[in-house]
Amino acid sequence: MLDDLQFGVFGPLTIWRNGRAVEIPQAKHRVLVAALLLRANRAVTSEELMQQLWGNDPPPTARKTLQGYIARLRKVLGAEVVVSRASGYAIVTDGDRLDLDRFNHALRQAETVDDPAERARLFRSAMDEAGGTPLVDVPSEYLRQGDGAALVERWLNATENWADAEMAVGRHAEVLPRLRALVSEHPFRESAWSRLMKALYQAGRQAEALGTYQEARRVLADELGVDPGQELRAAHRQILAGPAADEGGWEPEPSALPVRRPVTPFTLPPRLAEFARPDIESRLIRRLLYTPPEGAAVRDCDPPRTLALYGEAGVGKTTMAVRVAHAVSSAFPDGQLFVGLQGEHGPRPAHDVLGELVRALGVSPAAVPSGTGELTALYRGLLAQRRALIVLDGARDEAQVEPLLPASPTCAALVTSLEMLSTLGGISHTRLGLLSAEEARDILGRIIGAGRLAAEPQAAADLVEYCGRLPLAIRIVGARLLERPHWQVRHLAARMSSTRRRLDELQVGNLSVRASLAVGQAALGDAERRAFRLLSLLEMDSFPVHVAAAALGLPQDSTEELLERLTAQHLLEADFIEASGVRFAYHPLVRLYARELTFDVDSAQARHAAVQSALAAWYAAPPRPPTARHTTGPGAGGRAHGEPAAPTVLTFTG
C-alpha cells in the first residue's frame, strides 16, 4: 500500500514499509526504481528506461525484459504504486514520502528567505533530508549523466549554500564535518575547498586553513595538472592578510570580480525550411518590422512589439516563431535570444530564465543578482537602447512571461504558449491552427520530394487525414519516410490506418505527438483530467454541455467550466451552433490520446457509466439555449437548423 511506503534517493537507494526495509537486491531493479523516483508521479518513457538500463546497446528483448522488471516491482511495491502511463511508467507517491520531495520543498523555502537565522534553519532542514551523495549504489552511467547528474549538482550547490547560511550566523565550527566530507568525495570542487578554508579560518584555526589550501593545490596539480583558480587564490590571500579579512569581510580579489563583457548573442535554433506557411509568416514579419508614418506619434500608432503565438500542441508554434525570428534578424543586430520556458520538471521559474538571459547578454555568473526584482531590473537595463529580439518558447501563463518581456521600444519579443495570454497588455495575439489539406501535402512533399508524393496521391491523402492536418504529425511522417526511402507512402498509410497504433506510429527521434499532447494534459487539475479522459469515449462528432454533464455526473455549470478549461488548453475545440448552443469536439489524435489515458486510469465500471449516462441524456429532451430561437423543418418532428443529428451509434468498449 502507498500509505505505508517511504522512499529515499540520497545516499543508498532505500525503500521502507511500516518501518522495515524493503530489499531490492537486483541491480537492474534498483536502476529502474531510481529512474522512476527521480521523476516521481510523472511518466518516464520506455525508451528512456531502456537506455538507463542498458545504455545505447539494449538487447533485442529489452522492451519485454523491461515489462518483466515492472511486473516484479509491482509485486513488491504494489500495482497502485508502479503504474503504467500512456507514454511509459511512473511511481506514484505523495506528500512527504520521498526524501527528494522534502529536500526540494525545504530548499525552495530557504532560497526565498532573507532573514539570516531563518535562512540557516531552512537550509539545515533541507540538508537533514539529504543523507549523502544521491544514488551511490545505483549502477547506471546513463542515469548518473542525466537526471542523476542534475540532482547531484543541486545537492552540491545546496550543501555550499547551507554552509554559507550557517557561517552567516556564526556557526563556523558546525559546518566543518560536512565540508570535509564534501571535499573528500568531490576533491576537484574548488568552491567547496574555499568554504572549508573560510570555516576553518573563522573558527580560529588559521594554520589548518592554510594547510587546506596547500592540500587543495596539491590535489589539483597532481590529478589535473592545474593551479588553483581565482576563488581559492583569493581565499588564501585573505587568510594571509589576517585580521583584515575579518574587518573587511570575505571578498574576492579584484581580478576575480564579475565583469560585464559586450556580446552580441545569437541563440536561435536552426530554421526549418520545409515548414513554410507564407501567409501567416508574412503577417507576423510585417508586424515586427512595422514603423510608424513619418511625423506620427509613436505612442499613438506603433503596434505591440510583443507577438504571442498560441494554439494546440503540435501546430508548429515554435517552428513558426523561429522562422519569423530568422527572417527579421537583420533588424535586431544587437542580439536574437531564444529561451525555452518549460523545464524538465515543469515551467521554469522566471528567476531561472532571467539568469540565463543576462548571462547570454554578457553578465558573468558571479554577477547575477539573487533577487528576482534586481535581476529583472538588470535584464531590462541591459536591453535599454539595444535592438534585440527575444523568443520565449512554451509559456505557461502571464505571470511567468511578464518579467521576461523587454521594456525598451527598441526591442521585440515573440512568445509561444498553449493558452492565449489574454491579460498581458500591449500584445498582438495570433492563433495558429491546423494546416489545410493542400498545405499539409505541400509540406510533406518538401520533406520527402514532390515526385515521391505525386506518385501515390491517394496514399498521400490518407496520410494527411490520419495526421489530422497537425503540423507535428506531418513532420513526423515526413521524417519517417525520408529515413526509409525503400518504403512506399502507402506502406506507412497502411500502418497508420489502425487507430490502435496510430500514436505509436507518430513518433520519431525526439518528436512525438503523444508527448506533445501530454504537456497540455499535465497542466490540468484532477477534475479536468477526468473529464478529458471520459468524454473521449463518446462516439459523436461533437457534444453539448448537458451530455457531458451527464457523462461526468456533474452539474451543468461545473461541467461548462471544465470544458472551457480544456478548450483553453486546446484539448477540446468549441463551436457555436445557433439551434443547439456551444458544442465541444476532440481533434482525432487528441481523442486517441485521451482514450489511451481513460483505459489506463479509469475502471471499466466508470467508463461504462459515463457512456450510458451520456446516451440517456442525448435522447432525452435537451435544455434549449436562450439564443436558439428559430427552427426550420416540417412540423414538430423537424430538427433545428444547424443542429447535428444524433449519433448513429454510441459505442463503448471495455
Side-chain angles (χ1 to χ4, degrees):
M1 295 292 291
L2 177 61
D3 58 3
D4 55 13
L5 279 173
Q6 296 283 335
F7 301 94
V9 297
F10 287 101
L13 179 70
T14 58
I15 303 174
W16 297 83
R17 172 175 278 133
N18 289 332
R20 300 181 63 181
V22 176
E23 297 295 333
I24 307 288
Q26 295 88 348
K28 294 292 189 186
H29 290 182
R30 290 202 306 278
V31 171
L32 182 56
V33 172
L36 295 174
L37 284 175
L38 290 185
R39 301 195 206 173
N41 299 309
R42 291 176 295 119
V44 185
T45 66
S46 298
E47 288 72 21
E48 290 176 288
L49 292 173
M50 287 188 289
Q51 185 178 58
Q52 288 158 1
L53 287 164
W54 294 287
N56 288 325
D57 189 25
T61 59
R63 191 175 297 273
K64 186 174 181 180
T65 304
L66 171 61
Q67 292 169 351
Y69 290 168
I70 291 290
R72 290 173 203 160
L73 288 178
R74 282 176 174 157
K75 290 181 180 178
V76 175
L77 302 179
E80 73 281 8
V81 177
V82 182
V83 300
S84 298
R85 294 284 188 246
S87 56
Y89 302 97
I91 279 185
V92 176
T93 183
D94 57 34
D96 60 354
R97 304 191 183 283
L98 175 61
D99 60 357
L100 176 58
D101 288 342
R102 299 192 298 271
F103 169 77
N104 285 332
H105 177 71
L107 209 56
R108 284 191 296 268
Q109 288 183 308
E111 289 167 347
T112 61
V113 169
D114 294 326
D115 178 69
E118 180 64 9
R119 182 176 174 84
R121 185 190 69 79
L122 289 169
F123 269 116
R124 200 177 308 135
S125 176
M127 298 314 298
D128 287 344
E129 298 296 343
T133 304
L135 308 176
V136 293
D137 65 340
V138 177
S140 170
E141 193 61 33
Y142 283 88
L143 188 60
R144 291 199 187 101
Q145 292 174 1
D147 289 349
L151 175 57
V152 168
E153 186 61 29
R154 182 163 172 77
W155 172 73
L156 290 169
N157 290 333
T159 304
E160 293 176 349
N161 290 336
W162 159 80
D164 291 341
E166 295 281 33
M167 288 190 285
V169 294
R171 292 168 56 87
H172 301 94
E174 287 79 359
V175 303
L176 290 174
R178 197 186 291 266
L179 285 177
R180 289 191 189 280
L182 192 63
V183 298
S184 175
E185 293 180 19
H186 302 273
F188 308 136
R189 193 172 179 90
E190 295 188 43
S191 54
W193 283 107
S194 69
R195 283 169 171 83
L196 177 57
M197 291 166 61
K198 176 181 178 179
L200 286 166
Y201 174 75
Q202 298 288 4
R205 296 153 70 171
Q206 182 177 0
E208 288 184 61
L210 292 172
T212 297
Y213 175 75
Q214 296 302 328
E215 183 183 357
R217 183 177 183 178
R218 179 188 57 76
V219 168
L220 293 171
D222 291 351
E223 300 295 333
L224 302 180
V226 299
D227 292 326
Q230 291 179 333
E231 184 176 0
L232 266 179
R233 293 200 308 271
H236 183 233
R237 184 171 292 122
Q238 289 184 315
I239 291 171
L240 290 174
D246 289 332
E247 297 169 7
W250 196 267
E251 298 293 338
E253 62 182 9
S255 62
L257 290 173
V259 295
R260 190 178 301 163
R261 57 195 188 281
V263 295
T264 302
F266 183 91
T267 61
L268 295 177
R271 171 179 173 270
L272 289 177
E274 301 89 349
F275 271 76
R277 299 178 74 173
D279 292 343
I280 300 174
E281 282 183 42
S282 62
R283 289 199 302 271
L284 295 172
I285 291 169
R286 287 196 303 270
R287 195 73 173 167
L288 280 175
L289 298 181
Y290 175 87
T291 54
E294 187 175 355
V298 173
R299 63 179 179 273
D300 293 332
C301 62
D302 197 17
R305 295 279 281 180
T306 297
L307 306 186
L309 309 181
Y310 70 100
E312 66 187 275
V315 294
K317 301 180 292 294
T318 302
T319 299
M320 178 65 69
V322 170
R323 286 182 59 87
V324 170
H326 277 280
V328 302
S329 60
S330 61
F332 299 96
D334 297 324
Q336 304 96 48
L337 292 92
F338 178 97
V339 62
L341 302 186
Q342 286 291 326
E344 186 178 352
H345 302 296
R348 295 174 63 189
H351 185 278
D352 180 29
V353 180
L354 285 166
E356 178 181 338
L357 287 168
V358 299
R359 288 191 296 272
L361 289 166
V363 177
S364 64
V368 176
S370 58
T372 301
E374 295 172 286
L375 195 50
T376 303
L378 173 62
Y379 166 63
R380 289 178 172 163
L382 289 169
L383 292 178
Q385 308 308 315
R386 288 200 192 203
R387 289 180 294 167
L389 175 66
I390 314 296
V391 181
L392 304 170
D393 183 49
R396 171 68 179 272
D397 52 31
E398 293 89 341
Q400 185 189 29
V401 170
E402 196 279 331
L404 310 176
L405 296 178
S408 171
T410 60
C411 297
L414 276 166
V415 184
T416 72
S417 61
L418 278 173
E419 296 189 56
M420 176 188 253
L421 305 177
S422 57
T423 63
L424 281 179
I427 289 183
S428 176
H429 300 276
T430 298
R431 178 178 178 179
L432 290 188
L434 301 174
L435 301 166
S436 67
E438 183 180 355
E439 285 177 322
R441 287 193 297 271
D442 185 44
I443 290 173
L444 189 56
R446 286 201 293 269
I447 297 174
I448 69 171
R452 186 179 177 188
L453 196 69
E456 299 181 77
Q458 185 55 54
D462 291 342
L463 267 188
V464 169
E465 179 185 352
Y466 296 150
C467 290
R469 297 183 286 115
L470 187 70
L472 176 61
I474 296 293
R475 181 179 174 187
I476 289 171
V477 298
R480 296 193 68 194
L481 289 170
L482 184 64
E483 68 182 12
R484 296 170 175 84
H486 55 283
W487 274 17
Q488 291 184 307
V489 177
R490 68 171 61 94
H491 178 69
L492 182 54
R495 291 172 66 100
M496 290 183 61
S497 62
S498 168
T499 57
R500 289 185 178 273
R501 62 183 296 175
R502 191 167 298 165
L503 291 180
D504 292 331
E505 298 291 339
L506 287 173
Q507 55 186 3
V508 62
N510 64 346
L511 299 177
S512 165
V513 168
R514 183 184 283 119
S516 179
L517 293 173
V519 174
Q521 194 264 348
L524 302 176
D526 291 342
E528 295 150 353
R529 293 183 187 187
R530 175 176 176 268
F532 175 63
R533 298 190 307 264
L534 289 175
L535 294 177
S536 68
L537 296 167
L538 307 185
E539 289 283 0
M540 52 182 74
D541 291 336
S542 64
F543 51 85
V545 172
H546 78 277
V547 170
L552 300 175
L554 296 173
Q556 288 197 40
D557 55 352
S558 301
T559 301
E560 186 173 20
E561 291 179 8
L562 292 176
L563 297 178
E564 291 294 345
R565 174 63 178 155
L566 294 174
T567 302
Q569 286 286 317
H570 301 285
L571 295 171
L572 285 179
E573 294 293 327
D575 193 17
F576 179 80
I577 297 176
E578 185 176 359
S580 59
V582 177
R583 300 178 68 91
F584 298 87
Y586 286 87
H587 181 278
L589 296 180
V590 178
R591 184 191 294 273
L592 291 179
Y593 174 65
R595 284 191 177 175
E596 285 186 349
L597 294 179
T598 196
F599 278 91
D600 276 347
V601 176
D602 300 303
S603 67
Q605 182 179 6
R607 300 195 303 269
H608 184 78
V611 172
Q612 291 301 312
S613 298
L615 186 64
W618 179 272
Y619 286 108
R624 299 186 63 80
T627 53
R629 294 300 182 200
H630 75 277
T631 60
T632 59
R639 181 163 52 90
H641 175 68
E643 182 178 352
T648 304
V649 62
L650 195 62
T651 65
F652 170 76
T653 305

